[in-house]
Amino acid sequence: MRRARKMKAAALLLAGSMALAACASDESGSGGGSGSGSTGGGSEDLRIGLAFDTGGRGDRSFNDAAVVGLEAAVEEHGGEFQDLSPNADASNRADLLTQLADEGYNPIIAVGFAYGEVIGDVVEQYPDTTFAIIDSSAETVGADNLTGLLFSEEQGSFLAGVAAATKSETGHIGFVGGVQSTLIQKFEAGYVAGAQAVNPQIIIDRQYISPEGDFSGFNAPDRGLLVAQGMYEAGADIVYHAAGGSGQGVFQAAAAAGKRAIGVDSDQYQTVDDPALQAVILTSMLKRVDTAVSSFIDSYVDGSVEGGSDIVYNLEQDGVGLATSGGFIDDIQSTIDDYRQQIVDGEIEVPTTP
């Protein structure tokens, strides 16, 4: 129940918080109240550290969803926060976590699976600091002071595929991935499965902006535009992106082509700040990073963090789903709800690999 209440609160904050998303990275924020920030339990002097993924604050998608959860937690519990963004080639991820720990921030949240490559060494150096990582497993690290915050992206993406195939007038849709990786392939796999469940003959173009290990694909709207433009020119009328900040380019391509797009992570109809782009966003696959962040901070404050374990947010928990802003999928909501229930009931098992 507490998580559900938090989910609703974060949703209410989403639109307002995203309006501030274009602020510079490496800012600190503060809230009133009291908090504790050493090993968890209580809320006196709460100081939260957040290390962003590529694109940082202002991507209007993944990173900004984390900001919404962070700000909701500070509003509830008080305290302050500091957020940091990686450099151009993202080679300083470990340095960001180390800086936050050295400055006494606790808990510290790493936003993005790429931190999985370095976080094991960092948490070992700071055993009295509580860490969480989004999109990477803590169980594989085995550290008592690390919690993994994971999502069933394939389930939400399945519903995005259902929406795309049901709404497509050409029987031809597309998928743009930011970086070729195991995580983003979950989005692709679910989307393809959902579309094919509706129309087994549907044509689905699929392309990644950058190869594995090159995270620039999450912050390259110009390249996102070119990839999506090619899909629209080839006959696709709806393109789903799982590409972070590059999704802005996908929306621009959709607007130029007079076609539709599907956003990701946040309700991007509410975050684009451009009526011309809002008009082309059919829906967004919601990945409730905001809920995961705020719930983790709740657990830290009340002393109930279970380190060394993973928390998975799926359809049953409303950890993933589809946004309804704009009303563009209202007429097919019963179809979407039917497939959602089949997944929740275990009648449909959504693949995690293409």
Side-chain angles (χ1 to χ4, degrees), residues 2 33-48 73 76-79 106-107 296-305:
R2 177 174 189 168
S34 56
S36 159
S38 52
T39 59
S43 58
E44 190 175 326
D45 300 326
L46 180 66
R47 303 179 73 232
I48 308 162
E76 178 171 344
H77 301 295
N106 191 12
F296 173 74
I297 296 170
D298 287 347
S299 298
Y300 175 83
V301 170
D302 65 27
S304 63
V305 172

Side-chain angles (χ1 to χ4, degrees), residues 165-187:
T166 305
K167 283 288 191 176
S168 176
E169 298 178 357
T170 64
H172 187 166
I173 61 177
F175 171 81
V176 177
V179 177
Q180 181 109 32
S181 62
T182 300
L183 174 65
I184 304 303
Q185 285 177 331
K186 290 173 67 180
F187 292 83

Side-chain angles (χ1 to χ4, degrees), residues 65-82:
V67 173
V68 172
L70 179 62
E71 292 178 340
V74 169
E75 180 173 332
E76 178 171 344
H77 301 295
E80 64 181 55
F81 65 86
Q82 171 76 16

Side-chain angles (χ1 to χ4, degrees), residues 51-128:
F52 283 128
D53 202 356
T54 299
R57 182 188 280 260
D59 70 347
R60 303 174 185 269
S61 183
F62 182 62
N63 288 306
D64 283 353
V67 173
V68 172
L70 179 62
E71 292 178 340
V74 169
E75 180 173 332
E76 178 171 344
H77 301 295
E80 64 181 55
F81 65 86
Q82 171 76 16
D83 56 70
L84 303 175
S85 295
N87 54 16
D89 63 2
S91 61
N92 67 333
R93 293 181 187 275
D95 295 336
L96 298 183
L97 297 175
T98 299
Q99 177 183 337
L100 290 169
D102 283 342
E103 293 178 359
Y105 288 95
N106 191 12
I108 295 171
I109 302 168
V111 183
F113 68 90
Y115 284 96
E117 299 176 0
V118 300
I119 199 165
D121 292 336
V122 176
V123 299
E124 184 178 355
Q125 296 172 38
Y126 299 92
D128 295 327

Side-chain angles (χ1 to χ4, degrees), residues 248 255 260 268-269 271-281 328:
Q248 189 80 357
R260 294 279 195 184
Q268 297 204 276
Y269 181 92
T271 68
V272 292
D273 293 338
D274 183 343
L277 300 188
Q278 282 184 319
V280 305
I281 299 176
F328 303 127

